[in-house]
Amino acid sequence: MTTATTTADDEAPAFSELRERLWQAVIDCDELSALSLVRAAADTGACDPVQVRRAAERILLDLIAPTQRRVGTEWAANKITVAQEHAATAINERCISALADATAHALPETSRGRVVVACVDGEWHALPARLVAEVLRLRGWRVDYLGAQVPTEHLVAHLHHTGADAVLLSSSIPTHLPIAHTAISACQAIGVPVLAGGAAFGEDGRYARAMRAEWALDAAGAHLALAQGLERPKADAARLPDRDLPHLNDQEYTMVRRVKRQLVKQALADVEDGFPAMRDYSEFQRERTVEDIDYIVSYLATALYVDDADLFTTFVTWTAGILEARRVPAASLQPVLVSLLRQLSDFPRAVSILDQSRVALTDLRSGQTS
Ligand code: B12
């Protein structure tokens, strides 16, 4: 007699449907439904540990990761609140823990090596690093997961103490790149290879490479790089940032960082002059405006650090989108850029970056109106 055979995969609803259901659960702050959905997806009925691990990895990377990314797009489009975004992240973190518990029995018995996964100092986006850590565990690595914003000196002390084979540094926000550079060279200086990853390092990893770190796009890439073996840093790896980034010698980055408060204060005054209506802003609105200008100056400083106008232009056009979604005209960014141009007229690289961002902003607006 022949029976129709069904695999666990055929029985499971399509992943796109699962994604939609997880999305609904996290956005309704429905933690219990999200957890039971993830547990059910992990429970494929497979006894083979390899299959259990594969299913778990797929849940991490094809279910939870895209749900988190969608949180970002919907927040940017002003379709969900900051509170929903926080709740969604908390629920997804809990789902990852539940999955780790449910699959602990299937982890490989022998370890491929010991690695440390940490976010650079100041970086709050721990979830991307956590996904990488869990995938590496499933693939047989012993992982010390240190979580968000790890101060460099404590990271280095941990590496010393444990003798880890490599450190994986995660960063999502480009303004953390200067501090990431310090962490990279500090780890390499004690002979530990560094693999960097996360959105901050650029889609192609260009900033990681400029800072002489290895780079991988994602968790699978991280596993591959580790399995192939990372090169041990040479004895002379201790260095100042300008050895990797010689343009820092022009001091533009250092100066902009040093006078940042003044730049922000003056830009605020200039914007107020241009928009007298701003004088009637509430304390709360003023604080948000100061925050926005502060953020703009931080991105400008970072673009100077890595010498890449694209980094700033991408940020300015992204901010324009965020503002427009909240019915604030993107044109309100121009007076800030003009003020910074005037204040930094003696800094050729800053002027060029600001000019390019103004053009991009104008192109964006004419693209929207044409
Ligand atoms: C949740 C979230 C938060 C949470 C983070 C909580 C937590 N526990 O993680 C909180 C609320 C704290 C937060 C704060 C902020 N956030 Co936020 N956040 C997000 C959000 C929605 C999801 C992050 C996430 O988990 N992504 C999911 C994973 C899957 O992302 P991933 O990068 O693709 O990860 C993969 C790879 O990058 C890679 N990878 C990652 N790390 C590593 C490391 C190594 C070694 C390797 C090899 C690979 C690797 O593998 C991962 C798995 O495949 C993103 C949106 C987004 N698209 O990511 C915004 C986002 C990153 N945040 C953003 C912003 C602006 C902020 C704030 C500045 C907001 C503010 N004004 O306060 C602060 C900054 C705080 C700080 N100092 O770091 C922006 C950044 C935009 C930009 N141009 O810089 C984003 C993109 C939102 C948006 N749509 O615009 N945020």
Side-chain angles (χ1 to χ4, degrees):
M1 191 178 80
T2 52
T3 51
T5 52
T6 51
T7 65
D9 241 18
D10 295 330
E11 281 162 2
F15 246 68
S16 58
E17 190 198 319
L18 270 185
R19 272 198 287 270
E20 196 50 41
R21 281 172 47 206
L22 181 61
W23 171 254
Q24 283 310 329
V26 300
I27 233 53
D28 287 346
C29 302
D30 186 352
E31 186 160 330
L32 295 182
S33 294
L35 280 169
S36 74
L37 186 149
V38 164
R39 285 202 185 102
D43 185 11
T44 59
C47 297
D48 177 6
V50 177
Q51 280 189 36
V52 173
R53 297 199 294 264
R54 261 194 214 133
E57 185 167 323
R58 195 159 175 221
I59 292 167
L60 291 167
L61 299 180
D62 293 344
L63 187 58
I64 296 174
T67 306
Q68 271 298 109
R69 289 192 201 101
R70 186 168 170 189
V71 171
T73 21
E74 303 269 324
W75 169 82
N78 203 20
K79 290 186 181 155
I80 61 167
T81 64
V82 171
Q84 278 176 309
E85 183 247 36
H86 275 55
T89 307
I91 294 173
N92 275 331
E93 274 172 351
R94 176 99 199 268
C95 287
I96 296 173
S97 301
L99 187 66
D101 282 348
T103 52
H105 68 279
L107 290 182
E109 276 164 21
T110 51
S111 163
R112 287 171 173 272
R114 182 171 185 173
V115 298
V116 173
V117 175
C119 293
V120 302
D121 203 358
E123 180 61 67
W124 294 357
H125 297 90
L127 202 136
R130 176 88 199 267
L131 289 171
V132 173
E134 294 300 338
V135 169
L136 291 179
R137 257 182 212 139
L138 288 165
R139 291 194 180 205
W141 298 91
R142 170 168 176 188
V143 182
D144 298 1
Y145 169 68
L146 307 189
Q149 44 182 0
V150 183
T152 303
E153 65 273 26
H154 295 295
L155 176 62
V156 169
H158 184 80
L159 295 172
H160 253 312
H161 183 66
T162 57
D165 299 306
V167 56
L168 284 80
L169 282 181
S170 178
S171 183
S172 296
I173 305 262
T175 50
H176 300 136
L177 284 172
I179 205 109
H181 195 186
T182 308
I184 290 166
S185 57
C187 297
Q188 291 172 338
I190 59 158
V192 180
V194 180
L195 181 67
F201 293 98
E203 275 171 21
D204 53 0
R206 70 176 98 162
Y207 306 128
R209 294 201 181 91
M211 295 169 186
R212 287 208 278 147
E214 302 275 347
W215 173 83
L217 176 66
D218 52 20
H223 166 75
L224 203 66
L226 290 170
Q228 281 170 349
L230 299 176
E231 209 180 308
R232 284 234 157 242
K234 302 208 170 57
D236 67 345
R239 61 198 185 270
L240 290 171
D242 62 353
R243 201 162 106 201
D244 299 337
L245 307 171
H247 54 262
L248 290 174
N249 285 320
D250 69 9
Q251 301 295 320
E252 288 203 29
Y253 164 76
T254 314
M255 287 304 289
V256 168
R257 291 290 317 173
R258 194 172 294 157
V259 299
K260 185 176 165 198
R261 278 178 73 149
Q262 178 56 33
L263 290 170
V264 174
K265 202 172 156 199
Q266 187 58 51
L268 184 70
D270 291 346
V271 175
E272 268 177 356
D273 278 350
F275 287 102
M278 248 189 80
R279 299 207 176 95
D280 299 328
Y281 269 17
S282 66
E283 191 57 28
F284 179 80
Q285 284 174 309
R286 267 183 78 86
E287 274 171 19
R288 295 293 79 74
T289 311
V290 172
E291 239 173 53
D292 287 348
I293 299 176
D294 193 278
Y295 212 43
I296 291 171
V297 178
S298 295
Y299 265 84
L300 176 62
T302 309
L304 287 168
Y305 190 88
V306 293
D307 195 30
D308 188 355
D310 273 359
L311 187 146
F312 188 66
T313 315
T314 307
F315 165 73
V316 168
T317 48
W318 169 81
T319 307
I322 301 280
L323 291 174
E324 296 277 1
R326 285 150 184 81
R327 297 182 194 285
V328 178
S332 63
L333 287 169
Q334 287 284 11
V336 180
L337 300 175
V338 172
S339 169
L340 293 174
L341 258 175
R342 197 180 47 72
Q343 296 185 68
L344 295 170
S345 59
D346 291 338
F347 298 87
R349 283 200 299 126
V351 167
S352 161
I353 292 171
L354 286 161
D355 276 339
Q356 290 180 58
S357 71
R358 292 192 65 213
V359 172
L361 203 54
T362 312
D363 288 352
L364 188 75
R365 291 182 59 217
S366 53
Q368 278 166 355
T369 48
S370 64

